[in-house]
Amino acid sequence: MITFENVTKVYQKDWVALQDITFFIEKGEFVFINGPTGAGKSTLLKLIYKEEEPTKGTIKVLDENLRFLKKKHIPRLRRKIGVIFQDFKLLQDRTLEENVAFSLEVTGTSPRDSRKKMMEILTYLRLSHKKFSYPYQLSGGEQQKVAIARALVRDPYILLADEPTGNLDVGSSQDIIDILLDINYKGTTVLMATHDLKLAKKVKKRMLRIENNKLFSDK
Amino acid sequence: MALRIGIREGFRTITRNNSLFFLSLLVTSISLFLVSLFALVTVNLYHFLSILDEKIEIIAFMDESADSEALKSNILKINGVKDVIFVSSDQALKNLQEELKETEEVLMVFEDNPLPASLRIKLEAKSRTAKGLEEISSKIMLLRGIKETIYGGELVDQLKKITHVITVFDIGLLVIIIFSVIFVIFQTIKLTIFARSTEIEIMKLVGASNSFIAIPFTFEGIVQGILGGSIAFILTIITNRVAISFFSNVYFPQWWFLLGNLMCGFIFGIIGSSIALRKFLQ
């Protein structure tokens, strides 16, 4: 489902973000990308949804070689991938419902289907009673759930989570991890980047450890 | 569907981010008003210069016994002459009385009408130069029945030179103003779009195509441009009213100004938002 073959990413001024990374992730896997801050975890995720281009190497996502994916087809790839972030990236001037619906509207889903799908997701995440709330009226954990809802509402094949618990307390973090595990259980491939080694070890899933911009271990 | 959602999103931005929108609208309106104001000065300048140019003519004084109709038809045959108007001795006196209304007594010293009959010779545009005037005047002087001709001569060339300098200066200034205005409008639109970079980032993240992202911003740019153009036009009308109270005759082709303001607003809005967006969509 996701293949990295000798991938290197060098930013301007010879700043190496990732060096010679090779791994393969199968459909339905839950994988932690672990490493200290600045190790290149976010860059690795960005390469998967083609926000960044590799300097060297080959990346294949959902049977597509990203090197040959034209710019105009990037939206098509991103519609199959859900992404959540540490800072949630929610639209502050829209309600929870509008934030989630937004994700469906851009893909041209009809308002009726969109509404039905949204209610399913909000109910699943126990957020339906807050659908008219604005992000600033929600707790950190709830905001992250909205971000998850926005990513899930399009039934993605892959869910990328970039430090999703970085801004949350222990209780909310556990909630989010449980949700991600459940999503994975239902068949979605999940990649979660975290600097928290303890948290990653506790969950007992495959872990790609990145240190000094190289793949240090894969177990 | 993308267009409908795009326009709805555009409206939403205008109503929800209204302070940013109004700030941007204010800048657009003032900028377009500056262009409009300068255009008003320019058209009036050209209007005035063309009136002045039209007034360049030759006056030929006739002998008392001369046949005015014969002279008129002969003069009309000269290349560069547009029209010939006969002014009788009585008419000339009446005109002078009209001009000297307040000092009418001056004319009392004359027992008889001292003014000779004359022909006012209007010229075609190409002949309204010192050389043209001289050539035509010398041809007129050859005609029997013409006593004397008067015309501007060197003054005409000086007027032409001044007109030329004013025109070049005016066009230069207009170009500078237009470029400054384009720069200011573009930068303002860029700032408003930059303020919403998170929104664009999220749109890209959830798989929105570039055209889908561009629609609301372009729509907003168009609305802003057209509204800005309308406000600039209203401000120009007000300025024109004020100008009329100072200068009795102000030339203001208002439909052209309305069209110009709306078109400029529309074009600046659409191009400004497209250029500003390009950076984010790359």
Side-chain angles (χ1 to χ4, degrees):
Chain A
M1 182 155 263
I2 301 171
T3 308
F4 272 52
E5 276 176 37
N6 309 108
V7 173
T8 295
K9 173 68 186 173
V10 183
Y11 285 105
Q12 280 177 341
K13 293 179 185 167
D14 300 330
W15 176 46
V16 181
L18 289 171
Q19 201 174 356
D20 204 23
I21 306 281
T22 299
F23 63 81
F24 174 72
I25 293 171
E26 281 188 69
K27 187 180 172 202
E29 270 197 272
F30 189 115
V31 181
F32 282 107
I33 315 287
N34 178 251
T37 308
K41 305 182 294 290
S42 297
T43 302
L44 192 145
L45 296 185
K46 282 179 183 172
L47 288 168
I48 295 173
Y49 62 93
K50 210 168 158 68
E51 179 67 26
E52 296 288 350
E53 298 278 351
T55 312
K56 265 196 285 185
T58 306
I59 301 170
K60 283 182 190 163
V61 178
L62 297 164
D63 298 326
E64 192 134 31
N65 188 333
L66 298 193
R67 186 171 293 278
F68 305 117
L69 185 72
K70 287 182 182 167
K71 266 190 179 176
K72 62 174 179 181
H73 293 137
I74 294 176
R76 195 186 65 197
L77 169 80
R78 290 189 183 164
R79 288 172 196 179
K80 296 173 191 166
I81 301 173
V83 193
I84 60 170
F85 299 90
Q86 183 174 355
D87 60 354
F88 322 127
K89 293 200 192 301
L90 299 175
L91 296 168
Q92 296 299 317
D93 62 344
R94 289 167 206 238
T95 62
L96 184 163
E97 185 183 49
E98 287 168 337
N99 263 285
V100 179
F102 187 66
S103 177
L104 287 168
E105 280 175 353
V106 300
T107 55
T109 313
S110 72
R112 197 176 152 188
D113 290 348
S114 167
R115 193 167 178 76
K116 192 177 156 219
K117 187 77 199 162
M118 194 172 59
M119 281 318 292
E120 274 174 33
I121 297 291
L122 293 183
T123 308
Y124 165 65
L125 292 170
R126 296 191 299 272
L127 280 173
S128 48
H129 61 295
K130 291 202 169 177
K131 63 180 181 179
F132 298 123
S133 303
Y134 286 90
Y136 55 83
Q137 295 170 316
L138 304 173
S139 70
E142 285 170 328
Q143 288 192 56
Q144 193 56 284
K145 281 187 188 176
V146 178
I148 294 174
R150 185 180 65 197
L152 280 190
V153 79
R154 287 175 292 122
D155 294 322
Y157 294 95
I158 301 166
L159 180 67
L160 305 175
D162 191 359
E163 297 277 5
T165 56
N167 276 349
L168 306 180
D169 57 50
V170 180
S172 301
S173 295
Q174 194 53 55
D175 258 6
I176 297 300
I177 297 285
D178 290 343
I179 290 168
L180 294 179
L181 286 169
D182 192 54
I183 292 164
N184 174 246
Y185 179 74
K186 287 174 177 161
T188 307
T189 307
V190 178
L191 263 82
M192 177 174 155
T194 177
H195 67 277
D196 191 342
L197 186 60
K198 237 200 269 179
L199 182 135
K201 278 186 172 169
K202 199 174 111 188
V203 180
K204 293 190 175 69
K205 291 283 183 184
R206 182 181 170 192
M207 182 166 64
L208 301 174
R209 170 105 184 137
I210 299 173
E211 275 183 31
N212 298 323
N213 313 106
K214 289 179 183 167
L215 187 59
F216 181 73
S217 64
D218 179 0
K219 49 189 177 184
Chain B
M1 182 146 164
L3 186 68
R4 186 179 60 79
I5 294 171
I7 291 173
R8 192 201 66 197
E9 287 297 312
F11 264 122
R12 181 201 293 268
T13 317
I14 291 168
T15 49
R16 291 203 184 169
N17 297 326
N18 47 22
S19 55
L20 204 60
F21 177 78
F22 284 122
L23 178 73
S24 192
L25 179 64
L26 187 73
V27 172
T28 310
S29 307
I30 293 173
S31 305
L32 289 174
F33 172 58
L34 273 179
V35 176
S36 201
L37 199 63
F38 192 77
L40 185 66
V41 173
T42 301
V43 293
N44 274 283
L45 184 71
Y46 281 90
H47 191 63
F48 174 70
L49 289 176
S50 72
I51 290 172
L52 221 57
D53 199 51
E54 287 271 327
K55 284 196 172 166
I56 295 172
E57 59 186 18
I58 297 172
I59 295 176
F61 294 106
M62 297 158 51
D63 287 333
E64 273 174 39
S65 56
D67 177 358
S68 65
E69 282 306 310
L71 274 172
K72 207 171 152 182
S73 70
N74 279 332
I75 292 171
L76 273 171
K77 284 175 195 157
I78 299 171
N79 190 19
V81 172
K82 198 164 107 182
D83 197 14
V84 180
I85 301 160
F86 172 68
V87 182
S88 68
S89 164
D90 292 343
Q91 183 63 42
L93 183 66
K94 213 182 265 177
N95 290 350
L96 189 64
Q97 280 168 341
E98 200 58 38
E99 277 176 35
L100 303 174
K101 242 181 201 165
E102 286 167 20
T103 50
E104 224 171 338
E105 315 78 69
V106 178
L107 297 173
M108 299 290 206
V109 294
F110 300 105
E111 284 178 11
D112 298 320
N113 181 0
L115 302 173
S118 62
L119 292 167
R120 282 176 61 196
I121 297 138
K122 301 263 176 199
L123 305 172
E124 284 173 4
K126 63 174 169 46
S127 301
R128 290 182 207 138
T129 59
K131 202 179 157 205
L133 283 165
E134 205 179 308
E135 273 175 22
I136 293 171
S137 171
S138 57
K139 282 178 189 166
I140 293 169
M141 279 302 283
L142 294 175
L143 299 170
R144 189 175 293 171
I146 296 292
K147 211 158 48 176
E148 192 191 352
T149 58
I150 53 168
Y151 55 92
E154 287 301 310
L155 274 174
V156 172
D157 268 4
Q158 275 177 18
L159 177 73
K160 294 273 173 181
K161 265 182 203 158
I162 293 168
T163 308
H164 183 70
V165 170
I166 291 174
T167 309
V168 170
F169 184 73
D170 186 75
I171 289 173
L173 213 58
L174 186 66
V175 169
I176 292 170
I177 290 180
I178 287 178
F179 273 105
S180 314
V181 161
I182 289 174
F183 180 76
V184 169
I185 293 177
F186 282 13
Q187 287 303 320
T188 313
I189 292 177
K190 204 166 158 183
L191 276 178
T192 59
I193 292 180
F194 188 76
R196 281 150 58 202
S197 52
T198 310
E199 198 174 325
I200 297 174
E201 192 186 343
I202 294 168
M203 279 179 161
K204 284 168 79 176
L205 202 66
V206 295
S209 62
N210 282 353
S211 55
F212 186 95
I213 297 171
I215 292 170
F217 291 97
T218 312
F219 174 75
E220 199 187 322
I222 292 171
V223 170
Q224 186 184 310
I226 290 178
L227 275 180
S230 308
I231 294 171
F233 177 67
I234 293 166
L235 291 175
T236 315
I237 289 179
I238 295 168
T239 310
N240 182 52
R241 292 270 159 87
V242 174
I244 285 172
S245 63
F246 287 101
F247 316 98
S248 57
N249 191 13
V250 178
Y251 180 59
F252 181 50
Q254 55 179 355
W255 295 113
W256 284 111
F257 268 77
L258 176 64
L259 190 71
N261 271 306
L262 294 182
M263 285 299 287
C264 281
F266 178 80
I267 292 167
F268 291 171
I270 206 164
I271 296 177
S273 50
S274 309
I275 291 175
L277 263 180
R278 207 164 54 181
K279 188 174 168 273
F280 291 98
L281 297 182
Q282 270 170 358

